[in-house]
Every structure is written in C-alpha cells, then in structure tokens.
Amino acid sequence: MVNTRQDEEISSAAHLLEARLAEGTDEIIHRFRISLQKISSPLVSTEELWAEARGHARLVLDECRETLRGEFDAAAAANVTLALSVGLSGRGILQTVHPADTLRSSGELFQITLQYLTDAAAGLPVGQSSACLGRAVAALNHSLATCLQVSAAGYDAYLLNMVEENARSHRKRLGRDLHDHLGNSLALAHRYLDLHEVAVEQDQPAEKRDRLLGQVREALHEADGYTRGLISDLRARTGARRLADALREYAEQYQSPEVELRIEVNGDESWLPGAHAAEMFLILREFLRNALTHAAPRTVALKVDVAPHRVDCFAHDDGTGFDSGTPSGGDGSGLHSMRERTQALGGVFFLTSTPGTGTGMRMSVPLPPQASTARTRVAS
C-alpha cells in the first residue's frame, strides 16, 4: 500500500515536472541558441542550420516529456530515429556538421535542460524530485545519444557523397580535357599524315612534304607534353601529403632530438584552394614556431582533417604553457596573426593554455563549393 502511494506521488510529481518542461521548452531553446552563439557553433551559422538544430532539440525535449508522463514508447522512438536517419543522410543540412560540433552542442543542451529541470523540481519533496530527475536524465541521455549516432552516420554519408561527386566531376573534367587537348592534337597529327600521303602520291615538292612531317611532329609533341603533364598531375594528387611535408621541413629548423613531433593530414589536399592552403600553413607554422622556441615541450602534435566542405585543424604541445586568463595571456603578435588569418578565411579559432600543462589549438575553416576542384599549393 505504501509503495502504491509513493508511486502515485512520484507519478503526480513527474506529471507536474512535465507540465513545467512543456511551459519552458521555448525558453530552453532560446538559451540553447545563445549558448551555441557563444561557442561559435556552426549550428547557428545560418538560419537553415539553426532551424534543423532547433527541430532536433524539440524532439529531445519531447522525448523527455513523454518519459516523465510515463508514455515513452520504444517502438515510436525507433521510428523517430529512423526518420532522423533518413533526413540526415538524404537531405538534412545537419549532415554537413562535424560530429565534434554536434557532440559539443548536445552537451550544451543537456546542461541547459538539466538546470531548468532542477530548478523546476526545487519545490518538490526530495524523494519525488530525485526520482523524476532520474527519469528525465535517462531520457535526455537516450535521446541525445540517438541524435549523436544519427549525426555521425549522416556525416559519413555526406562525405561519401561528396567524394563521389568530386570523383564524378573530376572524370567529366578529365574527359573534356582529353577531348579538347589530346584529341585535338592527335586529330591534327592524323590530318597532316593524310596530307603527307597525298603529297607523296602526287610527287609534290620535298619541301612541302617535309613541312607536313614537321607539323605531324609538332602535333605529336604537343600531345606528348599534355600527356606528361597529366601523368605528373595525377601522381601529385596521389602522392605525399604536401602540407605535412612542408610543416615537417619547417619544424626541422627548430626541433631538438628530445622533442617528438607528430604531424597527420587526413583527406585529399586537392580539395583545398591554394589560398586556403597557404594561409593554413602559415597558421600552423606559427603554432609550431611558438611551441618549439618558447614552450620547451616533449611532444608537439598537429592533426589536419580535410573534407570537401571544411577543414579542421587540431594542435597541442605539452610544454610550459601560459595563463590565457590573464590580460596579457596569449596576446603575442603571432597568436593575433593566427586568429586574424583564420577569421579572414571565415573560420573559427580556439586557443587554450594552462601553465605547466601546455597549449592547445583548434581551427575550423569552411571551404567554398569550388574547393573540390582546386589544387593545393603550399610553399614554405
């Protein structure tokens, strides 16, 4: 009997908390957007992105409310997950957002919602509020985890589609180039050979026949030059990572034997426009210079992820670091330059440092649509 009464009281409290959550949904989403703006999340970079992010946030809050009402349906939740998956992998613009940004935004929504629920449950008896909050937290975890899984799957699908689109575009361009350059040169060579055969049959002057042979050689030479250039370009596209090589070459000027240097570039650098590649090289070079000349690190690590639509750079050293919270912390001209160069590319730049633990950097730069057809040119 006691348990039944307690269950009824907890159920009543859960319904009350659900009603308060329904009333506060708009306020939570408003706080969520402000929070995303503060961390420069790409989810609020356009109205289209925010509209989808807002819709997903409402789904998360709706699932939390259903759980508090005791109406959570696992089959219905599975259908929602399927709908989200189809939307993200097929047409949803959220699929273009890096999973790291989705994870961070999920953390922001979790904290904001939990704080709201905690405040809303403040007037309830301790036992009832604990039980209700436990249900709500479980629902939040489940719903956010689902969104993260769908986001990762959608992002993978988006990258695969972009890779295929890039390959298809490259094949079309290669076909046009072969037709316009190589095909034209070979056609000219055949034409001059035909004219030479006619000249021989008609016993035309040797000077004219030699001139026609010279034109054949010239056309074939042009075709040979184009073919060599094409082969060289293809080898360059599938060769060593040029950005990584340039950074390693620069680091060798400052690196001591005691410092372990890790540089990793993932993705196809041909997606990087030349101007972007040059600017990013300068930014990463500045991080290397600061780390190797001022921080006395044991390890310096750089990681660059190149996608058709975006580049993410991560850097860290375990050196002396500095207090980024002080007025003068991180105010060197080099750090200003890194931040300004990133902003000039339309990207976001984060730098964190703590005395004794080292310095970390993250840079995210969007790429223009034509980036997938551009070539990287990195010069030190």
Side-chain angles (χ1 to χ4, degrees):
M1 186 70 175
V2 174
N3 289 337
T4 301
R5 185 181 303 113
Q6 289 178 342
D7 291 341
E8 290 175 351
E9 290 173 349
I10 291 174
S11 178
S12 175
H15 279 78
L16 176 61
L17 191 58
E18 183 273 331
R20 291 176 180 175
L21 179 58
E23 294 174 356
T25 293
D26 288 339
E27 174 62 19
I28 291 173
I29 290 179
H30 176 68
R31 294 181 189 177
F32 180 47
R33 183 172 192 176
I34 293 175
S35 177
L36 293 180
Q37 290 171 338
K38 288 181 179 179
I39 63 174
S40 301
S41 171
L43 292 176
V44 289
S45 59
T46 68
E47 283 301 318
E48 189 178 6
L49 271 169
W50 167 240
E52 284 205 26
R54 181 179 59 218
H56 282 224
R58 287 190 182 277
L59 286 174
V60 170
L61 297 176
D62 286 346
E63 183 173 318
C64 186
R65 289 174 53 204
E66 289 173 6
T67 300
L68 287 171
R69 287 198 304 267
E71 299 174 358
F72 179 75
D73 187 332
N79 287 332
V80 170
T81 301
L82 178 60
L84 287 174
S85 299
V86 172
L88 281 170
S89 62
R91 59 187 178 276
I93 193 174
L94 281 182
Q95 67 175 336
T96 65
V97 177
H98 195 283
D101 291 311
T102 306
L103 177 62
R104 193 174 186 189
S105 67
S106 296
E108 296 291 325
L109 180 59
F110 181 88
Q111 292 297 331
I112 292 168
T113 306
L114 181 59
Q115 183 61 54
Y116 185 91
L117 289 170
T118 301
D119 294 341
L124 298 174
V126 175
Q128 295 177 17
S129 64
S130 299
C132 293
L133 287 175
R135 289 187 191 179
V137 169
L140 281 174
N141 278 331
H142 177 272
S143 188
L144 290 173
T146 298
C147 286
L148 288 173
Q149 292 171 3
V150 171
S151 172
Y155 188 75
D156 287 344
Y158 170 76
L159 287 185
L160 290 173
N161 289 334
M162 290 298 293
V163 168
E164 175 57 28
E165 183 180 335
N166 178 68
R168 184 164 54 248
S169 175
H170 180 65
R171 287 193 297 268
K172 289 181 179 179
R173 186 175 67 255
L174 182 59
R176 289 194 302 267
D177 289 346
L178 286 172
H179 176 272
D180 295 341
H181 296 282
L182 187 59
N184 181 67
S185 298
L186 293 176
L188 281 175
H190 282 293
R191 176 59 177 162
Y192 289 133
L193 278 174
D194 290 340
L195 292 174
H196 180 266
E197 289 178 1
V198 172
V200 170
E201 290 174 359
Q202 297 178 355
D203 197 27
Q204 296 180 8
E207 180 180 344
K208 183 176 182 179
R209 286 179 284 170
D210 290 341
R211 185 171 65 252
L212 288 170
L213 284 177
Q215 289 172 318
V216 171
R217 292 190 185 95
E218 183 178 340
L220 291 176
H221 179 73
E222 183 178 34
D224 180 69
Y226 174 77
T227 303
R228 290 178 182 273
L230 177 63
I231 293 173
S232 176
D233 181 58
L234 290 174
R235 284 175 176 169
R237 285 175 178 271
T238 57
R241 299 287 199 271
R242 285 160 291 177
L243 181 58
D245 291 343
L247 290 169
R248 287 194 185 96
E249 182 179 346
Y250 173 79
E252 287 176 358
Q253 304 174 44
Y254 299 96
Q255 184 182 3
S256 65
E258 294 78 20
V259 178
E260 180 184 0
L261 182 64
R262 304 179 200 152
I263 298 178
E264 177 184 346
V265 178
N266 301 311
D268 189 344
E269 287 190 47
S270 66
W271 289 328
L272 274 173
H276 282 64
E279 288 295 296
M280 295 180 70
F281 169 75
L282 294 175
I283 295 167
L284 294 172
R285 185 181 70 175
E286 183 62 23
F287 183 92
L288 276 177
R289 188 188 69 81
N290 286 334
L292 296 174
T293 59
H294 301 303
R298 295 185 302 275
T299 303
V300 180
L302 297 180
K303 180 172 177 286
V304 182
D305 293 332
V306 184
H309 68 299
R310 168 178 172 155
V311 181
D312 289 296
C313 303
F314 307 88
H316 183 266
D317 71 67
D318 58 1
T320 55
F322 56 87
D323 188 354
S324 57
T326 62
S328 60
D331 279 349
S333 59
L335 297 181
H336 274 304
S337 175
M338 294 163 68
R339 185 173 287 106
E340 289 172 358
R341 288 182 185 278
T342 304
Q343 292 172 349
L345 294 174
V348 292
F349 179 91
F350 302 98
L351 186 79
T352 59
S353 188
T354 305
T357 61
T359 301
M361 182 203 78
R362 180 190 171 192
M363 172 177 62
S364 297
V365 176
L367 296 180
Q370 66 271 23
S372 60
T373 62
R375 300 176 185 173
T376 306
R377 293 291 181 267
V378 177
S380 58

